[in-house]
Amino acid sequence: MKTTFKFAVAAAAVFAAFGASAEGYPEKGKTITIVVPFTAGGPTDRVARDLAEALRKPLNGATIVIDNTAGAGSSIGMAKVARATPDGYTLLLNHIGMATVPGLYRKLPFNVEKDFEYMGIINDVPMTLIGKPTLPANNYKELSTWIAANKGKINLANAGVGSASHLCGLLFQSQLQTDMTPVPYKGAAPAIADLMGNQVDLLCDQTTNTTQQIAGKKVKAYAVTTPKRLTTPDLKDLPTLQESGLKGFEVTIWHGLYAPKGTPAAVIKTVNDALKVALKDPTFVKNEEALGAVIANDDRLTPEGHKKFVISEINKWGPIIKAAGAYAD
């Protein structure tokens, strides 16, 4: 009985300490680090820095810093967070790579479904299908005819294996059942530069990277990858690929917030509550609109809905990546 009593007392003490630390989150003077698995200055980094600013107030003025741990399609940063102490002071902000890394890399030191806590989706960034200026097709119908007439001759640029543009290109070819020659670049900027210079034929990339070129008529724009047309002034006249005949075609570059597995439930709730407030912050909303992003406002804002969505995305992209043999390792 004495042993049982001592164990119960010890367990109660641990629980009390655990609960207190969760309820006191974030502690005054303690820094929260958001790991971004990409280099500084890119679209995901910009989302993270804007979100960090918006999160400070609902997290009681906490100091939040960004740690850019780039490489291997975001898997290096993901591994860093999976190994971190699960106390809420190391978080991860990642994009669609959270769902595609399991397909692109056959050996990973972590499991996306089991080694992370899910804290909510932040936004969705639409994509656009664009072509070189000298392409004879002026709309998607004409583009379809041109693709059919030039099978085996078309090249499709992307920003590197595993990039958003690479994934969109894979889905596009899969839906058309047409192979195109992939032309990988080290980032979106050089890919778009060569497209504008008529060195490559097509590219599917984020509105954050393409809207300016479309508005300036430096490329030919054919469609967007969202279920509904966009309201952005420079893109509102573009049809969706779904209405153009590619049923079920949908690609958005979503961003989500994560923590290491085992992070206290109270901490997860605190961050999730703060996230919901941050997504309504006027400055954050304005910055997201400037990026062409759509702020999340559905059940993916809940940890449960977020995880369910990511698993569905893993199931969507895994077979496409496997069929293309587009492995990154």
Side-chain angles (χ1 to χ4, degrees):
M1 289 294 290
K2 288 184 178 179
T3 302
T4 302
F5 177 74
K6 287 181 179 179
F7 176 79
V9 170
V14 170
F15 179 81
F18 181 80
S21 65
E23 290 173 7
Y25 174 89
E27 294 178 26
K28 189 175 182 180
K30 198 164 184 178
T31 298
I32 298 172
T33 298
I34 297 180
V35 174
V36 175
F38 301 98
T39 55
T44 301
D45 179 68
R46 290 171 65 184
V47 171
R49 292 179 189 276
D50 289 340
L51 182 67
E53 288 293 331
L55 279 172
R56 285 193 174 99
K57 187 175 181 180
L59 286 176
N60 300 320
T63 299
I64 305 176
V65 299
I66 302 300
D67 175 5
N68 296 97
T69 302
S74 81
S75 63
I76 293 177
M78 292 168 69
K80 183 175 184 176
V81 174
R83 296 192 302 265
T85 302
D87 56 6
Y89 292 97
T90 302
L91 306 177
L92 171 72
L93 192 152
N94 199 4
H95 68 9
I96 193 173
M98 205 72 184
T100 57
V101 157
L104 291 166
Y105 295 85
R106 289 163 287 189
K107 292 183 179 180
L108 290 169
F110 56 82
N111 184 296
V112 172
E113 295 182 39
K114 298 178 180 179
D115 293 337
F116 297 93
E117 302 289 354
Y118 291 70
M119 293 182 157
I121 289 291
I122 300 162
N123 65 14
D124 294 282
V125 180
M127 302 194 76
T128 50
L129 178 64
I130 57 177
K132 63 184 180 182
T134 57
L135 209 60
N138 294 307
N139 53 53
Y140 186 78
K141 184 177 181 180
E142 292 179 5
L143 179 66
S144 297
T145 301
W146 180 82
I147 289 174
N150 289 276
K151 286 187 176 181
K153 303 175 185 178
I154 302 168
N155 54 51
L156 182 63
N158 66 65
V161 175
S163 66
S165 53
H166 178 226
L167 297 168
C168 186
L170 289 179
L171 184 60
F172 186 56
Q173 293 175 84
S174 174
Q175 290 266 10
L176 289 180
Q177 297 185 334
T178 300
D179 290 332
M180 300 178 188
T181 302
V183 184
Y185 289 82
K186 293 182 178 180
I192 292 174
D194 271 8
L195 185 75
M196 291 190 296
N198 294 301
Q199 302 302 307
V200 288
D201 298 319
L202 296 170
L203 171 68
C204 183
D205 203 13
Q206 303 175 60
T207 54
T208 49
N209 297 324
T210 64
T211 301
Q212 185 177 348
Q213 285 72 29
I214 292 171
K217 300 189 183 302
K218 296 178 181 179
V219 296
K220 288 195 172 181
Y222 296 107
V224 294
T225 64
T226 47
K228 297 180 181 179
R229 292 194 182 200
L230 303 179
T231 57
T232 308
D234 293 319
L235 306 175
K236 63 182 178 62
D237 293 328
L238 289 180
T240 69
L241 283 170
Q242 288 197 36
E243 71 179 86
S244 299
L246 297 185
K247 301 300 181 185
F249 195 106
E250 181 180 353
V251 184
T252 58
I253 306 308
W254 42 268
H255 295 87
L257 197 62
Y258 309 83
K261 185 69 176 180
T263 299
V267 171
I268 294 172
K269 184 180 187 309
T270 297
V271 175
N272 181 254
D273 288 345
L275 177 63
K276 291 174 182 176
V277 173
L279 296 189
K280 295 179 181 179
D281 179 88
T283 301
F284 181 75
V285 171
K286 183 178 179 180
N287 288 337
E288 292 305 284
E289 288 176 346
L291 290 174
V294 179
I295 294 174
N297 186 28
D298 52 33
D299 65 351
R300 296 175 304 159
L301 269 175
T302 67
E304 298 79 13
H306 181 185
K307 186 171 184 177
K308 181 180 179 181
F309 171 69
V310 172
I311 292 173
S312 72
E313 287 283 277
I314 291 172
N315 293 334
K316 170 184 175 178
W317 289 106
I320 294 171
I321 293 168
K322 185 176 181 179
Y327 302 113
D329 56 11

